[in-house]
Amino acid sequence: MRKGDLNISYRIYANAAELDKSDADLMLAAEKSLGNAYARYSGFKVGAALLLENGEIILGNNQENIAFPSSMCAERVALYYCKANYPGVKVIKIAITAKASSVKLMEPVSPCGACRQVMSEYERIQNTNIEMILKGEEGEVFIFDTVTELLPLAFETKAL
Ligand code: ZN
């Protein structure tokens, strides 16, 4: 038997003002996007903004439904739109933020496991990292250089 260890590495910025302009602009786009979230059941609005290698910015926000499992996260709304309309164009970065109706979010919001899996596969097939920039309403910003940092040992197999 051997013991394995996993280490997660990311950068922590005190607030969005510490980001470089490109990252700050992408986060601003994500913040604007969450205003269009359809979150009538949770009151938890999430915005995502993708920066593509061609310079395009793709926005997504969470879309809820009265049949709850039919709802979709902001990250996957943006990613699926991207892949449907810009096939073969690499995703360079994704900025994710959220706003809740009940409390002020002072910590970065992390993507759910399903979104991590989807991002991980897109990262793998494009063969370049997707940087993740995470922020709450205020406070620290976390930047992960690759999805792998947030989803080590992602599901993948050559059997499918
Ligand atoms: Zn998700």
Side-chain angles (χ1 to χ4, degrees):
M1 192 275 276
R2 292 187 298 129
K3 185 174 181 299
D5 283 307
L6 294 170
N7 295 304
I8 292 175
S9 176
Y10 57 103
R11 286 173 274 146
I12 302 169
Y13 295 82
N15 53 57
E18 283 194 357
L19 299 176
D20 68 33
K21 182 163 175 20
S22 164
D23 290 349
D25 287 349
L26 197 62
M27 184 53 74
L28 204 58
E31 286 171 359
K32 284 183 182 164
S33 180
L34 70 74
N36 291 329
Y38 179 62
R40 67 182 295 178
Y41 302 104
S42 71
F44 194 88
K45 296 182 172 187
V46 183
L50 308 177
L51 175 64
L52 308 188
E53 63 177 344
N54 63 7
E56 292 270 353
I57 291 179
I58 304 296
L59 303 178
N61 38 60
N62 53 322
Q63 298 295 318
E64 295 181 349
N65 191 274
I66 194 167
F68 288 1
S70 304
S71 304
M72 183 57 66
C73 301
E75 299 92 319
R76 278 179 286 160
V77 167
L79 285 161
Y80 292 156
Y81 178 88
C82 171
K83 294 302 170 183
N85 293 282
Y86 298 86
V89 179
K90 291 182 178 181
V91 178
I92 306 298
K93 300 178 181 189
I94 179 169
I96 303 164
T97 189
K99 184 178 175 68
S101 58
S102 55
V103 295
K104 189 157 199 163
L105 303 172
M106 301 300 291
E107 296 174 345
V109 174
S110 260
C112 78
C115 287
R116 293 179 198 199
Q117 177 67 32
V118 168
M119 285 190 283
S120 172
E121 180 159 334
Y122 286 148
E123 184 176 74
R124 181 166 47 85
I125 60 173
Q126 76 178 22
N127 208 26
T128 54
N129 290 351
I130 298 174
E131 184 178 290
M132 285 186 296
I133 308 165
L134 312 180
K135 180 180 161 298
E137 283 181 72
E138 289 182 18
E140 293 182 335
V141 179
F142 296 167
I143 298 187
F144 292 79
D145 290 332
T146 165
V147 177
T148 306
E149 294 285 357
L150 264 187
L151 190 65
L153 303 175
F155 174 72
E156 61 179 83
T157 174
K158 292 183 170 38
L160 292 173

